[in-house]
Every structure is written in structure tokens, then in C-alpha cells.
Amino acid sequence: MRRALPLALLLFVACAHTQVWRVSGEGLVTLSQTFLATGAALDEAYRAGKMTEAQYDRWRAFVRYFKPTYDVASDRWLHADQTAAEHAAVVLASLAAELATFSLPEAK
């Protein structure tokens, strides 16, 4: 599971270096599902005592940032003009890249 999450996100951000990063509805769903799966895994690890409070605080901070940022960016991508959609795509790629930095801690 620890390696699968970042690898799934690589597909999402792989096009970030092309002239215009393309977001698809499937990519939005994948990002959302990966966020939820990562959260569930990290929550479980925290409850099992495999993470310190300081380690888990980084996730808490990201959650507070991810949810509203994702909602606004995905809405702009869906309902805005091309320029706004391109900006939203960059924001979504940034969220995906940050999400990919989270992994389960090693077992104690």
C-alpha cells in the first residue's frame, strides 16, 4: 500500500511538464480517491501508534489545505474558461505531488 499511492499519483502528474497539463474527470476522481485512501491508512497507522503526534500533524495540516483547495480547483476546471482551467490544473498537479509525499511509517 505504501508504494502504491505515490505510484498511482505519478500517472496523475506525469503530464505536468507538457505545454498544457491536461486534467481529466478520471484524474480528478483518482486524486480524490487517493487522498481518501491515504487518509484512511495514515489514520489507522496513527491510531495503532505507528506515528508520532508530530508526524501526524503534517497530515492534519495537509488535510486542512487539500479539501478546500481541491474543491475550488476542480470546480474552476469544470466551469471556468480555458485560462482558469489551466491554472486549476496546475493547482491540482501540485496537490497530487504533495499527496505523493505521504507514506505509511515503517513498522516499529
Side-chain angles (χ1 to χ4, degrees), residues 79-98:
H79 300 105
D81 63 31
Q82 184 64 30
T83 302
E86 288 174 8
H87 177 262
V90 171
V91 171
L92 290 164
S94 175
L95 286 175
E98 180 68 19

Side-chain angles (χ1 to χ4, degrees), residues 28 31-32 35-36 59-77 87-88 91-92 95:
L28 291 172
L31 179 57
S32 177
F35 171 77
L36 293 173
W59 173 250
R60 284 185 186 117
F62 181 68
V63 168
R64 286 189 299 273
Y65 171 73
F66 180 92
K67 288 180 178 182
T69 305
Y70 174 85
D71 290 345
V72 169
S74 60
D75 186 62
R76 289 187 75 196
W77 175 80
H87 177 262
V91 171
L92 290 164
L95 286 175

